[in-house]
Amino acid sequence: MKNIIPVLGLAALFMAACQGGTAKKTQAKIDSTIVTNAETASDAIQCYQYIKNRDTATLSLKSGDNKVTGTLGYNLYEKDKNAGTIVGIVKGDTIIANYTFQSEGQTSVREVAFLKKGDQLIEGFGDVQEVKGETKYKDLSKLKFDGSMAFGKVECK
């Protein structure tokens, strides 16, 4: 009888050790899944849309490693429609990108900026200048994100 208690104690200790290994493996698998899903989410395309009265604009973005690419198009009432691609960088909650687009049969490049607020991207506006055939902001620190063009997140089509 005296021998059974130490044997049961060792058996319980052995079983607990085995359970700990399984728990560690399960946790490692969960952690791996979380990391994989996080990487996938940052590489996923996110879509945004602006609609006000007769004006519409669409934006789709793919971001990773503080870089962003995507498409952008404006269809503003009584103005020429334009659509093209954006390539830029992410600085904190702000996207600064070059928008290369077609309008009236010509290709143009214009710098664009968006501030992320929740599920919205607010387009920034400021004074611009012509630099080597491209329209650039004079001073990025003076951009105004007044919400006049707020793109809401939508399902990608």
Side-chain angles (χ1 to χ4, degrees):
M1 187 75 163
K2 290 182 181 180
N3 291 340
I4 290 181
I5 293 176
V7 170
L8 287 177
L10 283 174
L13 188 61
F14 180 71
M15 290 171 64
C18 289
Q19 291 290 331
T22 303
K24 288 178 185 174
K25 288 179 186 174
T26 302
Q27 185 62 42
K29 188 172 183 178
I30 290 169
D31 291 343
S32 172
T33 302
I34 290 170
V35 169
T36 302
N37 288 343
E39 289 170 359
T40 303
S42 68
D43 279 351
I45 295 174
Q46 297 179 343
C47 298
Y48 298 86
Q49 187 172 43
Y50 166 80
I51 299 175
K52 185 175 181 182
N53 300 323
R54 295 183 181 183
D55 296 336
T56 60
T58 57
L59 173 64
S60 67
L61 296 174
K62 182 177 181 180
S63 59
D65 296 328
N66 295 327
K67 294 180 183 173
V68 65
T69 60
T71 60
L72 176 60
Y74 295 94
N75 190 3
L76 306 177
Y77 183 66
E78 294 187 346
K79 296 204 178 191
D80 292 323
K81 182 177 180 178
N82 61 71
T85 60
I86 66 169
V87 176
I89 58 171
V90 179
K91 290 183 178 180
D93 57 359
T94 306
I95 296 169
I96 306 294
N98 283 333
Y99 172 45
T100 305
F101 62 97
Q102 294 283 321
S103 182
E104 294 184 358
Q106 284 195 333
T107 300
S108 302
V109 179
R110 170 173 78 87
E111 193 170 41
V112 293
F114 296 94
L115 176 67
K116 185 162 179 61
K117 284 190 175 181
D119 277 349
Q120 289 188 324
L121 289 177
I122 312 297
E123 187 165 4
F125 297 96
D127 292 334
V128 294
Q129 62 188 354
E130 196 79 17
V131 178
K132 296 181 183 177
E134 298 180 1
T135 304
K136 299 281 188 184
Y137 293 113
K138 286 184 179 180
D139 188 350
L140 291 173
S141 67
K142 293 184 179 178
L143 292 179
K144 292 184 177 114
F145 298 93
D146 61 7
S148 62
M149 278 198 91
F151 288 69
K153 196 168 190 178
V154 296
E155 293 262 339
C156 294
K157 297 177 182 177

